[in-house]
């Protein structure tokens, strides 16, 4: 099982539309979320990346990508983003010690961003091997993730790592 601090998630944002250090309505912001397990000899089973997308940002269809620990890039179905709940969630598979999965996507800056705080955090979830059911269902890496029974019930008993807020320039 990973120890405290072995699993982390980091999130970055960059303006893909301009390089002058500003962000405007209509710009595209590129986000990258890296979920990693740095615990040697440990595993983080059925890992999931979740991002609650704030008002003022809209994920761009066709831009969701997950890079697996072996470097393989997987296109993620746009259904990974639930616009009603404003939740983007993707299954990442198992992360063994020293491995990471990276979710990237573009988001359009909309009028709702004006005067609003569009910084947000990403959350990485997983199950330590001691609590993992090898006979349970394991979602395919890159698959949209919507936990049966809802997020509240599903989160109980799982490990969690939270990123610092990410802001476009």
């Amino acid at each position: 099982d990973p120890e405290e601090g072995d699993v982390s998630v980091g999130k970055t944002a960059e303006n893909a539309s301009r390089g002058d250090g500003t962000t405007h309505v209509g710009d595209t912001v590129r986000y990258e979320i890296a979920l990693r397990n740095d615990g040697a000899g440990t595993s983080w089973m059925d890992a999931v990346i979740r991002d609650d997308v704030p008002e003022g940002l809209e994920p761009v269809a066709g831009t969701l990508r997950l890079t697996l620990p072996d470097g393989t890039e997987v296109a993620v179905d746009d259904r990974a983003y639930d616009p009603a709940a404003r939740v983007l969630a993707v299954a990442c598979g198992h992360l063994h010690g020293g491995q990471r999965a990276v979710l990237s996507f573009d988001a359009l800056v909309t009028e709702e961003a004006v005067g609003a705080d569009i910084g947000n955090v990403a959350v990485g979830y997983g199950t330590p091997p001691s609590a993992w059911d090898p006979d349970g269902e394991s979602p395919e890496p890159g698959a949209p993730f919507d936990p049966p029974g809802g997020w509240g019930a599903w989160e109980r008993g799982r490990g969690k790592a939270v990123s610092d807020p990410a802001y476009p320039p």
Side-chain angles (χ1 to χ4, degrees):
D1 289 358
E3 294 184 17
E4 184 75 29
D6 283 349
V7 177
S8 63
V9 63
K11 182 174 182 180
T12 60
E14 71 173 275
N15 190 324
S17 298
R18 66 183 74 233
D20 65 1
T22 65
T23 299
H24 302 272
V25 171
D27 286 355
T28 298
V29 177
R30 182 156 299 130
Y31 288 96
E32 188 173 279
I33 303 166
L35 177 61
R36 60 184 311 119
N37 175 8
D38 290 325
T42 68
S43 294
W44 193 242
M45 313 305 283
D46 294 330
V48 171
I49 292 174
R50 175 183 166 151
D51 189 31
D52 292 0
V53 181
E55 292 282 339
L57 295 171
E58 287 302 324
V60 177
T63 65
L64 297 165
R65 300 272 184 268
L66 181 70
T67 303
L68 302 174
D70 68 0
T72 303
E73 188 176 276
V74 177
V76 175
D77 192 293
D78 291 331
R79 291 176 297 161
Y81 176 60
D82 176 353
R86 304 200 60 79
V87 172
L88 171 61
V90 178
C92 300
H94 307 319
L95 295 178
H96 305 294
Q99 292 184 332
R100 73 180 190 150
V102 179
L103 176 65
S104 61
F105 67 97
D106 290 349
L108 180 67
V109 179
T110 67
E111 288 286 338
E112 289 81 13
V114 176
D117 182 352
I118 61 170
N120 63 329
V121 299
V123 180
Y125 296 98
T127 305
S130 63
W132 182 66
D133 179 2
D135 296 322
E137 288 189 34
S138 291
E140 192 69 29
F145 188 78
D146 185 15
W151 283 98
W154 183 84
E155 286 178 324
R156 286 191 288 280
R158 291 199 168 56
K160 179 178 177 178
V162 180
S163 75
D164 290 331
Y167 292 91

